[in-house]
């Protein structure tokens, strides 16, 4: 299996499909791994692009390091992957926590190799409520996730999959296979990595990173997202990036790569090919 090695020796697993086309990196949400993007990677590769998806450190097949389970290191690991594969004219696509990772990459490493940016149900600009972010979510929301992770993470992942992640607690009929895949991928994440990543996706302030985005940007968000509410995530990120295109999926929840796959794929392909 292919890996790149980060500066601290951590091994980062990645898939690289359709290797002759324009490159697209797909960054996954918490606490999943590259498999969360496999349908999208296959679609893009079949439509002439080079689709690359990696397991964030601590997740999936990458090293379960004790340190480095925070956004600075996630972004630097992504830079390591980009440099190792010598990618340019690159499209970065991030779902949920992955959206934070790709935006933080831009903030730390610039856009010399990046041509386009796509944020899907993404955590930027800042999920946590603070004095200067009064419309964010209260700390108790994330403390409850941390408590569930510490007490019985297997049950936490089942509860998320059967509830707010896919919107199965609304009137949406979400296939059991999607929910099973969420649990299976989540259990492959290291316990410490999953616990620490909760702070990374909720408390990292991506506003300075968004101010540095100078490439065409597409923001896609469901207006019934129960994990990253539209008003906290997509609406505000789109407003912060000059010229960003915002697509609101009416009635859709958080897991757009699964629940709104065909529409998302069509929008991604049109944007990448534009």
């Amino acid at each position: 299996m292919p890996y790149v090695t980060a500066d601290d020796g951590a091994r980062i697993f990645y898939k690289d499909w359709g290797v002759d086309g324009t490159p697209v990196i797909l960054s996954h949400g918490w606490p999943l791994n590259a498999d969360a993007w496999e349908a999208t990677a296959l679609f893009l590769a079949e439509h002439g692009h080079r689709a690359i998806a990696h397991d964030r450190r601590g997740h999936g097949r990458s090293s379960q390091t004790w340190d480095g389970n925070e956004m600075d290191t996630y972004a630097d690991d992504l830079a390591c992957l980009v440099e190792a594969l010598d990618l340019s004219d690159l499209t970065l696509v991030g779902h949920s926590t992955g959206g934070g990772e790709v935006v933080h990459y831009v903030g730390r490493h610039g856009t010399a190799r990046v041509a386009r940016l796509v944020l899907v149900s993404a955590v930027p600009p800042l999920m946590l409520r603070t004095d200067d972010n009064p419309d964010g979510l209260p700390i108790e929301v994330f403390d409850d996730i941390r408590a569930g992770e510490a007490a019985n993470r297997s049950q936490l992942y089942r509860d998320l999959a059967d509830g707010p992640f896919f919107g199965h607690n609304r009137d949406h009929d979400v296939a059991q296979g999607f929910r099973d895949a969420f649990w299976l991928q989540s259990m492959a994440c290291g316990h410490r990595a999953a616990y620490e990543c909760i702070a990374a996706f909720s408390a990292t302030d991506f506003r300075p990173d968004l101010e540095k985005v100078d490439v065409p940007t597409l923001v896609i968000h469901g207006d019934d997202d129960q994990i990253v509410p539209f008003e906290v995530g997509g609406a505000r990120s789109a407003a912060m990036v000059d010229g960003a295109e915002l697509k609101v999926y009416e009635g859709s929840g958080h897991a757009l790569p699964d629940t709104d796959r065909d529409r998302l794929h069509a929008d991604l392909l049109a944007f990448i090919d534009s």
Side-chain angles (χ1 to χ4, degrees), residues 26 34-35 41 49 57 89 103-104 117 141 151 165 177 196 199 201 227 236-237 245:
L26 302 159
D35 294 351
H49 296 287
R57 72 167 54 208
D89 191 25
V103 165
H104 208 50
L117 181 69
V141 170
F165 188 84
E196 295 293 309
F201 75 67
I227 301 293
R236 296 173 61 208
S237 288
E245 180 182 1

Side-chain angles (χ1 to χ4, degrees), residues 14-228:
Y14 68 97
K15 302 179 183 183
D16 191 350
W17 294 355
V19 294
D20 292 331
T22 304
V24 182
I25 284 185
L26 302 159
S27 180
H28 62 81
W30 172 91
L32 304 175
N33 57 55
D35 294 351
W37 278 117
E38 62 183 3
T40 303
L42 181 61
F43 173 84
L44 293 174
E46 289 178 339
H47 286 77
H49 296 287
R50 180 180 178 183
I52 301 155
H54 64 295
D55 292 353
R56 189 170 303 118
R57 72 167 54 208
H59 298 63
R61 290 138 292 200
S62 292
S63 299
Q64 294 191 10
T65 59
W66 186 255
D67 297 315
N69 300 293
E70 31 70 28
M71 278 293 164
D72 285 357
T73 304
Y74 295 159
D76 293 349
D77 289 347
L78 179 56
C80 178
L81 177 64
V82 171
E83 295 292 330
L85 299 184
D86 193 21
L87 302 175
S88 59
D89 191 25
L90 173 64
T91 300
L92 291 173
V93 182
H95 174 240
S96 194
T97 298
E101 180 180 313
V102 299
V103 165
H104 208 50
Y105 168 91
V106 169
R108 287 174 69 81
H109 299 279
T111 55
R113 292 179 177 270
V114 180
R116 302 162 207 85
L117 181 69
V118 183
L119 304 179
V120 181
S121 314
V123 297
L126 172 58
M127 290 191 71
L128 182 66
R129 180 180 298 168
T130 61
D131 289 343
D132 68 346
N133 189 47
D135 296 325
L137 300 175
I139 186 67
E140 289 79 9
V141 170
F142 307 107
D143 285 344
D144 285 347
I145 300 173
R146 272 186 279 265
E149 174 72 30
N152 185 344
R153 70 189 190 112
S154 177
Q155 189 60 51
L156 170 69
Y157 302 149
R158 290 199 183 281
D159 292 343
L160 287 171
D162 290 341
F165 188 84
F166 291 104
H168 193 66
N169 54 336
R170 306 290 205 207
D171 292 332
H172 307 299
D173 183 16
V174 181
Q176 184 69 50
F178 286 140
R179 290 178 279 148
D180 289 348
F182 179 93
W183 179 86
L184 183 65
Q185 291 175 40
S186 299
M187 291 303 295
C189 186
H191 185 31
R192 176 177 170 83
Y195 190 88
E196 295 293 309
C197 189
I198 296 166
F201 75 67
S202 65
T204 301
D205 187 349
F206 299 101
R207 290 174 292 188
D209 302 316
L210 287 168
E211 292 175 354
K212 297 179 181 178
V213 175
D214 58 358
V215 295
T217 299
L218 173 63
V219 178
I220 300 174
H221 215 109
D223 65 4
D224 192 32
D225 190 330
Q226 301 172 70
I227 301 293
V228 183

